[in-house]
Amino acid sequence: MKLLITAGPTREHLDPVRFLSNRSSGKMGFAVAQAAVERGHTVTLVAGPVTLPTPEQVFRVDVVSALDMLAAVRRLLPYQHALVMCAAVADWRPKSQSDTKLKKTEVPIEVALEPNPDILKTMLPLKEDRIFVGFAAETGDPLAEAQRKLTSKGLDLIVANDVTRPDAGFEVDTNLVTFLTPSEPPRALPLQSKLDIGRAIVDWLEQRERAAPNIT
Ligand code: C5P
């Protein structure tokens, strides 16, 4: 299969040296990419700013902001069988960006923000028979929130995890996730490495592709 995977945070710059971002390390998305190439799939990885090495045989496209990531996904999606959105896309960006470093005295006390587009929702009209997978990193009730996002983003699979646990979510090498789909009961996976979770996601994609081959 041809897979488009996104990973890492995005950075929303205020000026050339200051930005809004989040704690995503990119490890989960890079692990899915690694698992997919191990199985012989063709992987394009759209990565926000992270410090991880590119897995061998992965074609990597680096981006900075949510708008850059959207542009890359829009350009690359037509060639793919599936989109796996692991990236922690920043929800907002500063309304204005300065091309030069703001002086200490020029930095406003309040920063006006505007919402970033939702990449999955924006790509939904181009989905056709492609498989869309999302992640839901939650601090409250992970399954309820993930269920809501599965429906609202039109996904085939959402991978839910509780990011308040020390052994799951941001920065660490392990994760504890539950798979939710529109048709099956939720499937909780045991605590395991992000690479093994990546392999489970690739298993799911392969089964899904066998059940309903897409023609892309
Ligand atoms: O809404 P929330 O950010 O929690 O949803 C998470 C899922 O949606 C992830 O798969 C993430 O990559 C994707 N997402 C997106 N565009 C955004 C924000 C999140 O595609 N602007």
Side-chain angles (χ1 to χ4, degrees):
M1 294 172 80
K2 290 185 193 142
L3 305 179
L4 182 61
I5 301 171
T6 67
T10 64
R11 280 184 189 168
E12 310 301 325
H13 276 273
L14 281 157
D15 72 12
V17 297
R18 303 185 182 92
F19 54 82
L20 299 174
S21 193
N22 59 61
R23 286 176 55 202
S24 172
S25 62
K27 283 181 176 173
M28 192 62 246
F30 276 61
V32 180
Q34 169 78 47
V37 289
E38 278 177 7
R39 296 277 182 76
H41 299 292
T42 302
V43 176
T44 305
L45 179 61
V46 176
V50 296
T51 54
L52 299 170
T54 312
E56 258 177 58
Q57 295 173 48
V58 166
F59 175 60
R60 173 168 170 177
V61 176
D62 285 309
V63 296
V64 177
S65 68
L67 292 179
D68 297 340
M69 187 171 279
L70 173 61
V73 170
R74 199 195 291 278
R75 179 167 55 85
L76 295 162
L77 187 69
Y79 311 102
Q80 315 296 328
H81 296 110
L83 169 63
V84 183
M85 281 289 306
C86 303
V89 185
D91 291 316
W92 311 283
R93 63 177 182 272
K95 255 189 172 157
S96 62
Q97 266 187 34
S98 170
D99 291 336
T100 51
K101 187 181 170 193
L102 296 166
K103 300 236 168 11
K104 228 178 246 185
T105 48
E106 289 171 350
V107 177
I109 302 304
E110 287 179 355
V111 178
L113 301 176
E114 60 189 341
N116 274 327
D118 188 293
I119 297 174
L120 280 167
K121 283 186 186 168
T122 309
M123 289 299 109
L124 208 48
L126 305 178
K127 183 175 185 293
E128 298 172 355
D129 56 359
R130 294 183 182 82
I131 306 168
F132 276 18
V133 177
F135 273 72
E138 307 297 342
T139 56
D141 179 350
L143 291 196
E145 273 303 298
Q147 185 63 55
R148 194 179 60 71
K149 288 174 189 176
L150 178 74
T151 312
S152 72
K153 295 181 192 250
L155 300 175
D156 300 291
L157 168 68
I158 194 155
V159 180
N161 66 313
D162 177 351
V163 293
T164 59
R165 290 178 55 109
D167 51 3
F170 295 121
E171 291 140 4
V172 294
D173 290 319
T174 51
N175 213 351
L176 185 64
V177 303
T178 301
F179 283 8
L180 282 96
T181 71
S183 52
E184 298 133 320
R187 178 154 67 93
L189 274 62
L191 182 74
Q192 56 194 313
S193 69
K194 288 183 175 173
L195 185 55
D196 283 334
I197 290 174
R199 290 175 177 140
I201 292 169
V202 173
D203 283 340
W204 185 91
L205 286 168
E206 288 175 353
Q207 271 173 30
R208 169 61 203 256
E209 175 69 6
R210 271 196 297 275
N214 74 43
I215 48 148
T216 311

